[in-house]
Amino acid sequence: MPARILRTRTLYEGWTEILGVRLQLEDGYEVGREVEDHGNAVAVLPYDPERRTAILVKLLRPPILISEGRTDLLECPAGMIEDEEPAETARREALEETGLRLRELEHAGRVWSSPGVSTERLDLYLASYAAADRVDRGGGAAGEHENIQVIELPLAELRRLIETKQVEDLKTLALLALLMLRKPNLFVTEASVTE
């Protein structure tokens, strides 16, 4: 007999929703689990193929503050899907957070962010940009108090951060790895080519 949900009830409802779920497993045994449910999201890695750079952001992440006492994390722009398609959400979040007006998006996959505890799925995108696409300073949506810091880094530096295990955000690590796999020449510096 396949596993099935016996009942679900809302334990908490706020910015996120916590569900209490009673399951019957394949062996007939019953267990209870808590599931976090706040909707689906997107993440986008904007990169400039001419200048070989990417734009990332730093912003307050309360779980990081609780766990490590740090106030920010280097990550790609991301956000919750509201009443729009995932690609439109990616464009909106990139504009709000980084000031970039993205045109072409390359859908890189749809993944579970933390399947052991959350129903959230992330649509991942790669998006090339040029300097002229920076139409605003970014920093986050007005009134949301995000205080986002916009950081443009060379892709070669981001590769070094990956190699030294300094990219701690999973969505950002996945998107950088995908870009390295698809366009490895963007991560090579001019100096290393001539050596």
Side-chain angles (χ1 to χ4, degrees), residues 27-116:
D27 62 5
Y29 190 74
E30 289 186 23
V31 295
R33 296 287 186 261
E34 289 77 37
V35 175
E36 185 272 341
D37 183 19
H38 68 261
N40 293 320
V42 300
V44 58
L45 176 63
Y47 68 96
D48 183 332
E50 295 299 317
R51 294 182 305 124
R52 297 179 183 190
T53 59
I55 291 189
L56 299 175
V57 296
K58 281 188 175 183
L59 66 155
L60 173 66
R61 295 298 194 190
I64 306 300
L65 185 59
I66 289 168
S67 294
E68 295 190 358
R70 294 187 294 140
T71 58
D72 57 24
L73 183 68
L74 185 66
E75 57 187 288
C76 56
M80 302 304 300
I81 297 172
E82 294 171 6
D83 296 324
E84 59 200 345
E85 292 297 315
E88 289 309 307
T89 302
R91 287 184 180 93
R92 176 179 51 80
E93 289 292 340
L95 185 59
E96 288 175 5
E97 293 187 10
T98 69
L100 281 174
R101 178 159 293 139
L102 298 177
R103 291 175 181 78
E104 297 295 319
L105 297 175
E106 179 184 348
H107 192 256
R110 189 164 196 237
V111 299
W112 296 99
S113 61
S114 185

Side-chain angles (χ1 to χ4, degrees), residues 5-195:
I5 296 172
L6 299 173
R7 65 185 164 279
T8 302
R9 64 186 175 101
T10 301
L11 302 176
Y12 171 82
E13 193 169 3
W15 180 81
T16 191
E17 189 172 357
I18 306 296
L19 305 173
V21 181
R22 191 76 185 162
L23 303 162
Q24 185 173 37
L25 303 179
E26 293 173 354
D27 62 5
Y29 190 74
E30 289 186 23
V31 295
R33 296 287 186 261
E34 289 77 37
V35 175
E36 185 272 341
D37 183 19
H38 68 261
N40 293 320
V42 300
V44 58
L45 176 63
Y47 68 96
D48 183 332
E50 295 299 317
R51 294 182 305 124
R52 297 179 183 190
T53 59
I55 291 189
L56 299 175
V57 296
K58 281 188 175 183
L59 66 155
L60 173 66
R61 295 298 194 190
I64 306 300
L65 185 59
I66 289 168
S67 294
E68 295 190 358
R70 294 187 294 140
T71 58
D72 57 24
L73 183 68
L74 185 66
E75 57 187 288
C76 56
M80 302 304 300
I81 297 172
E82 294 171 6
D83 296 324
E84 59 200 345
E85 292 297 315
E88 289 309 307
T89 302
R91 287 184 180 93
R92 176 179 51 80
E93 289 292 340
L95 185 59
E96 288 175 5
E97 293 187 10
T98 69
L100 281 174
R101 178 159 293 139
L102 298 177
R103 291 175 181 78
E104 297 295 319
L105 297 175
E106 179 184 348
H107 192 256
R110 189 164 196 237
V111 299
W112 296 99
S113 61
S114 185
V117 68
S118 179
T119 62
E120 181 186 71
R121 291 194 74 183
L122 276 169
D123 280 279
L124 302 175
Y125 293 93
L126 298 171
S128 64
Y129 72 92
D133 295 323
R134 188 90 188 265
V135 297
D136 192 23
R137 64 175 188 83
E144 291 188 11
H145 308 285
E146 294 177 293
N147 302 318
I148 295 171
Q149 181 183 356
V150 181
I151 300 169
E152 188 172 46
L153 291 170
L155 290 168
E157 172 66 10
L158 287 168
R159 180 184 184 127
R160 187 192 67 73
L161 292 175
I162 289 170
E163 290 170 348
T164 57
K165 300 175 184 155
Q166 294 180 64
V167 177
E168 300 174 285
D169 177 62
L170 187 56
K171 65 187 176 296
T172 305
L173 181 62
L175 282 167
L176 283 168
L178 281 168
L179 185 61
M180 281 179 21
L181 185 65
R182 293 178 182 180
K183 299 181 184 287
N185 60 316
L186 295 180
F187 290 81
V188 178
T189 63
E190 299 281 331
S192 63
V193 171
T194 58
E195 289 176 0

